[in-house]
Amino acid sequence: MSEPSRQTVFISHANPADNDAAGWLAAKLSALGYSVWVDVEKFRGAESIWRTIEPVLRNQARCMILVLSRFTFGDDGLLRQGVANEMDLALTLERNHPRFVLPWILDDLPFANLPIQLQNRMSVPDRRWSAALVRIIEYLDSLHIVASPGADQGADLLQRLLIAEDIGVSNATATYDLNRLECLSLPEHIYSIEENSLISDGVATSNAYEGRLLSFHAIEGASRLFGKGEPKEYSLADSLQSGITSLGLSPKDMMAAVVELTKKALYAHLRAKGLVERFRVNKGPVFFFNSITVPEGKITIKLPENSRAAPRNLWG
């Protein structure tokens, strides 16, 4: 059992490269009611003070999520000093508090490049942050770390993480989640149509397989939607289990096609709602804000004077 007095989740990360991931994880866990400690000074570009960090690790933390990426290491291949200090103390504490350190690997950092103390131990290798969050929560549960939904520490931590002076945080319940949308249901059937059919706007289709496209759209109105040729109907459940032999699609191929169609359907829905589409380099489209709230399609962000010029992700 975890000690009642040691319920804090300590998040260690390198600045500024891993700020986004560490801040996101801290916000998510805090919103769920976990007691979280993260070095806020790193988000502001200031130097961390070891004497304020060490007591938290020694006396309050039950575990440390060690955020790792290629940028956590210097040109010499060694961990950056601040992260190394936190890791060394955390591994010492592991003698009395088993499984104290959980590495979370953000990118393609090879396991062989990890410090020798971290090799051959449980880690979270998921690059998708939402998947990593599930694994991390399972880890916290296994340590009997208790979440207290409704506690105020979530908003307090977010307030300290924010650097802009004109941004506020409240404890009010949010009705959106910008990082993961759950697929609650799928259609019972999926259809294939000829690749050279005249496709109407708003019809989401997949890549071509054996000269045919896949779509979730029903047969009704086929002549209007598809121009020529009747769509072929398949049971979606059967297709996901056995594939579609006539199109050369395995169950794995079908899963990829369904994910593709679901994403395209979501994007079409967001466009229909009037959201403005923007693209991030090598990361695909991001939908944020409606056109009314983005004057002339431009957004201005003010950074504090002591911050480094660095890319910022914006969602909404």
Side-chain angles (χ1 to χ4, degrees), residues 66-106:
L66 180 56
V67 180
L68 295 173
S69 72
R70 289 183 178 273
F71 300 102
T72 319
F73 299 81
D75 295 335
D76 55 3
L78 300 177
L79 276 178
R80 299 188 185 278
Q81 191 59 52
V83 178
N85 290 343
E86 294 166 7
M87 183 194 73
D88 289 342
L89 176 55
L91 291 174
T92 300
L93 293 171
E94 218 167 32
R95 298 170 186 171
N96 296 321
H97 307 285
R99 301 169 58 222
F100 192 89
V101 179
L102 178 69
W104 174 23
I105 303 172
L106 298 178

Side-chain angles (χ1 to χ4, degrees), residues 5 7 32 48 73 117 160 168 178 184 192-193 215 228 231:
S5 60
Q7 289 284 302
L32 291 171
S48 303
F73 299 81
Q117 306 97 307
R160 291 187 291 119
L178 304 180
L184 300 180
S192 73
I193 55 177
S215 175
K228 68 174 186 177

